[in-house]
Amino acid sequence: MSDFAVVRAYRRVRGALFGRAEAGVVEPDDPGLVVVVAGYDDVESCSAALARGAGSDPRWAADRQALLRHPMVVPAAAVEEVVGIGSLAGYSPVEPVPAIRAEAVGSPAAGEVLLVLARSQVLDALHCSQERSRMAGLAQRHGGRALGWDALQPDPMGGAAR
């Protein structure tokens, strides 16, 4: 069972026990998700990236849940620990790894792997910045590097481009 399947099962059980499910949660395997905003430039603030995303198509909707993804390159030996620590904050690995901008990834060195951690949340500049910093620190503490972030939301036009 994948990590996301475990999270979905947990949400269903919690919703059944407490009489409510998380409304609007974006599931990573939803084929209707599209990238609505991305931040792969270290000098661009999250607020600037989100403003750009709100003014382009497909348009980022600030009031809806988004799947926030953080690609990073980490040593293969650290993957399990990085995933474990990320899961404490609600992150799960995305498998298969989605296509990430080639200029952001480059070529991982020998012994390194591309890892993408993601979670569903309502995205705003403050929380985006906090999560960006959290993931950069997590990757760095384990000998890796964060590559940036992107956010996906369901395409209101029904397309499916990841």
Side-chain angles (χ1 to χ4, degrees), residues 11 22-26 33 60-67 119-123 152-154:
R11 288 178 181 150
E22 289 185 63
V25 170
V26 178
L33 293 179
W60 166 63
D63 60 338
R64 293 191 349 230
Q65 291 273 331
L67 184 70
R119 77 174 185 189
S120 181
Q121 67 181 77
V122 174
L123 194 57
L152 295 85
Q153 289 180 318

Side-chain angles (χ1 to χ4, degrees), residues 25-133:
V25 170
V26 178
E27 299 293 348
D29 56 358
D30 180 345
L33 293 179
V34 293
V35 175
V36 292
V37 63
Y40 286 97
D41 182 349
D42 286 340
V43 299
E44 182 181 40
S45 68
C46 289
S47 59
L50 292 172
R52 183 174 29 82
S56 62
D57 284 323
R59 189 171 313 276
W60 166 63
D63 60 338
R64 293 191 349 230
Q65 291 273 331
L67 184 70
L68 180 60
R69 298 189 305 193
H70 299 276
M72 59 185 75
V73 174
V74 296
V79 168
E80 189 174 323
E81 188 171 358
V82 170
V83 168
I85 293 170
S87 72
L88 297 174
Y91 285 93
S92 297
V94 175
E95 293 177 11
V97 174
I100 303 295
R101 291 176 37 183
E103 64 270 19
V105 176
S107 296
E112 291 183 328
V113 296
L114 175 61
L115 173 66
V116 179
L117 296 180
R119 77 174 185 189
S120 181
Q121 67 181 77
V122 174
L123 194 57
D124 60 46
L126 173 63
H127 292 101
C128 180
S129 181
Q130 289 172 335
E131 295 309 309
R132 176 184 185 180
S133 179

